Amino acid sequence: MSKKLIIGMFGFGVVGQGLYDIIKTKKLNLEIKKFVIKNADKQRSLPAELFTTDAEAILSDKEINTVVELIDDADAAFEITKRALTSGKNVVSANKKMIASHLEELVAIQQEFGTSLLYEGAVCGSIPIIRNLEEYYDNELLHSVTGIFNGSSNYILSKIFNENQSYDAALQKAQDLGFAETDPTLDVGGYDPKYKLAIVASHAYGIYVDPTAILNLGIDKLGEQDIRFAKEKGYKIKLLPLAREIDNRRVVLYVLPRFVNKDNILFNVENENNGVLVKAAFADEQFFYGKGAGGHPTGSAVLSDITALRYGYRYEYKKHLDAGQVAYSTDYKLKIYLRYAEENTLEQINFDTISERFYGENFKYVIGEISLQEIIAKRDIINQTGNFVAELS
């Protein structure tokens, strides 16, 4: 039998409105009792008495048994989530930064208080990757999980490579459509996919990794020379997070732009769509594709979590039972393309080998093998204005 959910919702923005639009079309055993919002003066599509700016209206209400957290502020979201879980309320959240930054503590709280935190909507919108990692791949050795986790950057790259738009024009279009924020650094700088990668790695490999320890370099330094180089070689550029198991003991995690060719299934994932590629020891390679952003796609993932709570569903974190088997590592070699501006840049970066070098008046690059540790150590140099780095297969 399903349990009736009495819901208190924090936030009523794009995802909150999208979630409500879906809920009102269905007959579900749930009731939204109160919304807590930040701006009391903003016009709403629902009766004013449903809204308040007082968090206690939800957190102190004993009748409310489920909290849906859909706000932007990661610190505030953590306090809300922690308070709700410790007071016996289950929580559904879509805040990837909050979850990635506090996951180990949040798991411990769930175990101590017998509550459940679900967050499918925090990773890749409508694609049910967390549930699949939890259930379908629970006993699988996963070789790698990668893909396109950020719809904003993918939209920008699609406009550049398919419509010959400049980076600045494509970014402006993404902002006009609401795919990118006024300050787009979270997306184009690779921070958003990094938080999602940390969450995915926890469910795929049973490890907790502080996202600040994961390398992320984005597409914000992408230039016309890099675009021309990619097109001449038959590549597109995609911003890809990667979790890869090496030698059955270590997992490497990073986010970098990558040159992909037409044989790569991610080559044709365009616009705001996301794609997750899972390579497993026994199930082999599987691909998940869908809308990665937007009120209704993300709202559908949030609703899936809400409805699962009616039947007492909770993540079991099964991979963490064998967490001693693998550990996070940065001991890894990769092949990169580095376009640089200043002459002394290469003197400060230690490549293991250099296989190609081009030196022109307005365009200088090298291709070579380098350690992940070296990229992390020299990140500030590599990410200077005038430089751009991308991984090569």
Side-chain angles (χ1 to χ4, degrees):
M1 294 293 291
S2 70
K3 167 187 175 183
K4 182 172 183 180
L5 303 185
I6 308 297
I7 296 172
M9 187 184 300
F10 286 85
F12 195 64
V14 173
V15 176
Q17 180 68 64
L19 172 63
Y20 182 77
D21 289 344
I22 300 169
I23 287 176
K24 70 182 183 182
T25 68
K26 300 180 177 294
K27 292 183 178 180
L28 301 169
N29 193 20
L30 57 86
E31 171 194 344
I32 302 178
K33 185 176 182 181
K34 189 66 70 175
F35 296 87
V36 170
I37 42 86
K38 184 165 60 175
N39 184 358
D41 299 324
K42 185 177 179 180
Q43 287 292 108
R44 309 285 174 178
S45 58
L46 298 175
E49 59 266 23
L50 287 175
F51 296 92
T52 180
T53 57
D54 181 12
E56 292 302 320
I58 289 176
L59 296 174
S60 296
D61 187 332
K62 289 184 169 35
E63 188 181 20
I64 291 175
N65 54 29
T66 307
V67 170
V68 178
E69 180 281 304
L70 300 173
I71 65 175
D72 293 332
D73 186 328
D75 293 333
F78 175 63
E79 294 305 320
I80 290 165
T81 301
K82 183 176 180 179
R83 172 89 178 276
L85 291 172
T86 55
S87 63
K89 302 180 193 298
N90 294 323
V91 179
V92 174
S93 175
N95 194 309
K96 77 279 296 184
K97 182 178 180 181
M98 181 273 288
I99 294 162
S101 301
H102 300 283
L103 186 55
E104 186 170 11
E105 182 178 354
L106 291 168
V107 171
I109 291 170
Q110 293 174 76
Q111 292 172 342
E112 179 180 354
F113 291 90
T115 44
S116 177
L117 168 64
L118 303 181
Y119 39 82
E120 192 69 68
V123 182
C124 297
S126 62
I127 299 173
I129 188 61
I130 301 300
R131 198 82 61 89
N132 272 283
L133 290 171
E134 271 287 304
E135 306 298 336
Y136 185 80
Y137 296 108
D138 59 341
N139 291 303
E140 266 274 30
L141 170 64
L142 299 182
H143 293 315
S144 64
V145 183
T146 187
I148 294 165
F149 288 12
N150 181 262
S152 302
S153 60
N154 200 51
Y155 177 88
I156 292 166
L157 291 168
S158 294
K159 294 301 174 185
I160 289 170
F161 282 90
N162 300 332
E163 300 180 20
N164 296 315
Q165 293 187 14
S166 68
Y167 174 83
D168 290 339
L171 172 58
Q172 185 61 57
K173 185 74 179 295
Q175 290 172 323
D176 292 344
L177 292 172
F179 296 143
E181 300 294 334
T182 305
D183 178 3
T185 305
L186 188 69
D187 297 316
V188 299
Y191 292 91
D192 173 86
K194 176 173 74 169
Y195 298 134
K196 295 171 181 174
L197 179 64
I199 297 169
V200 163
S202 184
H203 290 272
Y205 295 104
I207 55 176
Y208 297 114
V209 182
D210 184 341
T212 61
I214 300 173
L215 172 72
N216 63 290
L217 291 171
I219 61 168
D220 48 317
K221 303 296 191 301
L222 180 67
E224 291 298 324
Q225 305 102 316
D226 314 309
I227 297 165
R228 185 170 65 250
F229 174 89
K231 289 181 176 179
E232 287 174 354
K233 303 289 186 180
Y235 294 127
K236 289 179 182 176
I237 295 172
K238 300 291 186 181
L239 182 58
L240 302 184
L242 173 69
R244 173 170 287 160
E245 174 269 329
I246 48 178
D247 64 30
N248 294 323
R249 294 183 295 105
R250 297 175 293 157
V251 176
V252 296
L253 306 171
Y254 58 87
V255 180
L256 282 175
R258 186 182 181 103
F259 293 105
V260 298
N261 62 30
K262 62 182 179 181
D263 294 328
N264 189 315
I265 197 167
L266 299 172
F267 187 87
N268 291 315
V269 178
E270 303 290 9
N271 298 315
E272 70 273 24
N273 292 305
N274 282 190
V276 182
L277 191 59
V278 179
K279 190 169 185 179
F282 304 109
D284 202 4
E285 197 167 76
Q286 294 180 306
F287 179 62
F288 301 82
Y289 173 85
K291 292 290 183 185
H296 289 158
T298 306
S300 71
V302 173
L303 180 59
S304 176
D305 282 344
I306 292 171
T307 55
L309 287 175
R310 295 183 305 164
Y311 299 94
Y313 181 77
R314 55 187 309 189
Y315 299 140
E316 296 182 53
Y317 300 98
K318 298 171 189 173
K319 291 285 180 79
H320 287 270
L321 298 175
D322 299 318
Q325 294 184 1
V326 295
Y328 173 56
S329 175
T330 56
D331 184 12
Y332 185 67
K333 306 286 187 184
L334 56 163
K335 184 179 180 182
I336 68 165
Y337 155 100
L338 173 65
R339 188 251 303 160
Y340 62 98
E342 298 298 327
E343 299 294 338
N344 66 347
T345 299
L346 292 186
E347 298 173 6
Q348 302 175 70
I349 301 169
N350 297 315
F351 279 84
D352 294 337
T353 60
I354 291 179
S355 57
E356 184 177 333
R357 184 167 185 172
F358 178 84
Y359 191 96
E361 184 178 355
N362 298 311
F363 184 26
K364 298 185 283 290
Y365 74 83
V366 295
I367 293 174
E369 187 175 80
I370 191 171
S371 73
L372 179 58
Q373 291 170 340
E374 178 69 3
I375 299 176
I376 293 170
K378 305 295 173 58
R379 173 193 170 123
D380 290 343
I381 298 170
I382 291 170
N383 205 35
Q384 287 175 351
T385 300
N387 299 347
F388 176 73
V389 66
E391 187 176 8
L392 279 157
S393 300

